[in-house]
Amino acid sequence: MTTDSCLLPGLISVEQARDQLMQAIPPLRETETLPLEQACGRVLSAPVKARLDLPPSDNSAMDGYALCGESGEPYRLLGKSLAGHPFSGSLKAGECVRITTGAVLPAGADRVVMQEQAELRENTLIPQAETKAGDHIRRCGEDVRAGQVLIDSGRALKVPEIALLAAAGVREVTVLRRVRAALLSVGDELRPLETPPSELGDGDIYDSNRIALKAALAQLDLEVIDLGCLPDEPAAIRDALVQARDRADIVVTSGGVSVGEADFTRRVLEELGQLDLWRLAIKPGKPFAFGRLPRDKGETLFFGLPGNPVSALVTLYQLVLPALEKLKGIAAENRGTFFQGRARLLNPIRKAPGRTDYQRGYTYRDSDGLQVVRSTGIQGSHILSGFAEANCFVVLSRESGNCETGDWVTIEPFQKPLT
C-alpha cells in the first residue's frame, strides 16, 4: 500500500491545522506595567535595558587576599575588604588586604590569591602558589553593560530572567495583559461533582471535562472565566456565549458542536459569528471547531474540543496551546516547541494508517541506560486511567502502521499543562 492511499480523504493534518490557527490569530496588544516580582510568566511588550553595569565594580571571585603586583617578598597586610564594606585606601606594590567573595577590589590590587594558597604570619602574607594579574577577579561590566538590552519584547519571563533584571536594577516591566479564557460545558447529561453517584440518572455523567480543562488553562497563566455547565437550551447557550464574547478573548468548550439533533451550540455560534468545523487527521480527537465571535472592538475566538475526555486534552495540548502562545504575544522565535526524542518500544502497538496517533505512554531509562517506552493501558479516547499513568505521547505518523516490540518510536514527553 502506498503512502498516498493510506491518507483518509477530507482530513486536515495536525500541521495544517496549526498553521491555519497561527494565520488566523492576532496577538494581544493591550499592556500593563507590573512590579518585577509579579511578572514571572508574563510576556514583555517592550525591550528591557540594564540600569547599571554587572558587576558594578571589580570584585573578588574568591575568599582570599587582594594583592598589588607580583612580589618576590612577602606582602604587607593593610586591612580588609568585605562585601558591603570596601577597603578605603589603595595598595602599592608588595601590599595586600584580606578580601571576601564579592567584595570590591581595592585600588591598586591586580590579583587575588585564594586563602587556601596563602600563609598569614601576623601582618605578613606569603603566597603558596604563583599568581598573575587578573587571577580570581570579576571585572566591572563583564556580564552586563549599563543601557544594554537584556531581554527583548515577545518573551515570557522566567525565573532566571527575573533574577537578571533584578540584579540590573529593573523594578518594573511593561507586559501584555493576560489572556482571558471563558470555559463552559453544554449537555443535559452533565452533572456537577457535588451530585452523589446514587442521584445520577441513566446516561448522566459528571462534568469532568470542564474541571480538567480549567486546571489545564490555569497552568498557562490565563485569567479563566468559568461559566459553568449549561443545559441543551438555545436561550441559555446564547446568553452564556454573549457573556463569553463580551468578557473573554477565547471561549473553550468540549463536545456539543457536531451535527446532532440536540447540538444547539453550533447553531447559536453560527448566529453570533463564524464557525469552521475541521475533521483532523489525529487520533484521538478528529472533530475540532474553530470560530470567531465579533464584538464592538475586535473578536473573541472559539475553540470547540471533542467531547471524549482524552480527545479534549490531546487537542488542547496539540492545537490550542500553540495558538495561545501567539495570542499571548510570544514572538515566533520564543514559542515553545514539542520536544521529541526516540525510545525503544516495550510492547506492540496496533495502528491503521490515516491519522497521526498520539498514544499515551510511559518512558524511562532502563538499567542499561537505554530510553524505552511502553503503552499505558487501553488507548480508547474515553480511557482516562491510562492517561493519568502516562508521562509522554508515543507519536505515530499519519502514514505508519503497526509497531512491534523493539521498534524505535518517536516520543513527546509531557510539558505544561499536562505535567
Side-chain angles (χ1 to χ4, degrees), residues 307-328:
N308 281 317
V310 177
S311 302
L313 290 172
V314 169
T315 50
L316 176 81
Y317 189 79
Q318 297 294 336
L319 295 171
V320 181
L321 182 58
L324 282 172
E325 289 198 319
K326 183 176 181 186
L327 184 62
K328 286 180 173 184

Side-chain angles (χ1 to χ4, degrees), residues 289-355:
F290 173 68
R292 306 165 183 273
L293 300 173
R295 57 176 189 260
D296 289 340
K297 295 182 179 180
E299 60 187 10
T300 296
L301 305 175
F302 176 86
F303 296 95
L305 310 182
N308 281 317
V310 177
S311 302
L313 290 172
V314 169
T315 50
L316 176 81
Y317 189 79
Q318 297 294 336
L319 295 171
V320 181
L321 182 58
L324 282 172
E325 289 198 319
K326 183 176 181 186
L327 184 62
K328 286 180 173 184
I330 298 176
E333 63 271 18
N334 298 324
R335 291 177 201 147
T337 56
F338 298 112
F339 170 77
Q340 292 188 335
R342 301 284 284 174
R344 179 157 284 172
L345 193 58
L346 295 178
N347 60 272
I349 291 178
R350 304 276 75 84
K351 179 190 181 296
R355 290 191 282 168

Side-chain angles (χ1 to χ4, degrees), residues 210-265:
R210 181 171 55 88
I211 303 302
L213 292 171
K214 185 175 181 179
L217 294 174
Q219 290 189 64
L220 300 177
D221 197 42
L222 310 181
E223 180 183 331
V224 180
I225 303 168
D226 188 352
L227 297 179
C229 181
L230 308 177
D232 284 312
E233 296 175 2
I237 296 170
R238 180 180 176 79
D239 288 346
L241 288 175
V242 168
Q243 277 193 65
R245 178 197 65 190
D246 295 341
R247 296 173 59 189
D249 304 296
I250 67 168
V251 187
V252 179
T253 69
S254 62
V257 205
S258 64
V259 294
E261 184 177 328
D263 287 337
F264 301 115
T265 307

Side-chain angles (χ1 to χ4, degrees), residues 364-370:
Y364 61 95
R365 289 194 179 274
D366 67 11
S367 57
D368 295 324
L370 189 69

Side-chain angles (χ1 to χ4, degrees), residues 58 66-70 75 87 89-97 104-111 133 137 139:
D58 290 352
L67 314 177
C68 179
E70 183 178 4
Y75 290 82
F87 180 74
S90 61
L91 304 184
K92 298 189 292 291
E95 296 177 337
C96 70
V97 297
V104 173
L105 195 72
D110 68 348
R111 68 197 68 201
I137 293 174
R139 293 300 182 187

Side-chain angles (χ1 to χ4, degrees), residues 162-240:
I162 295 288
L164 171 63
L165 296 181
V170 177
R171 295 180 53 206
E172 57 185 23
V173 289
T174 302
V175 297
L176 293 165
R177 69 163 175 82
R178 277 195 174 98
V179 172
R180 293 187 281 265
L183 185 63
L184 60 95
S185 294
V186 178
D188 287 339
E189 77 281 12
L190 300 177
R191 295 292 178 267
L193 294 181
E194 295 78 15
T195 307
S198 59
E199 295 182 13
L200 294 178
D202 290 342
D204 288 348
I205 58 174
Y206 287 118
D207 183 17
S208 60
N209 278 9
R210 181 171 55 88
I211 303 302
L213 292 171
K214 185 175 181 179
L217 294 174
Q219 290 189 64
L220 300 177
D221 197 42
L222 310 181
E223 180 183 331
V224 180
I225 303 168
D226 188 352
L227 297 179
C229 181
L230 308 177
D232 284 312
E233 296 175 2
I237 296 170
R238 180 180 176 79
D239 288 346

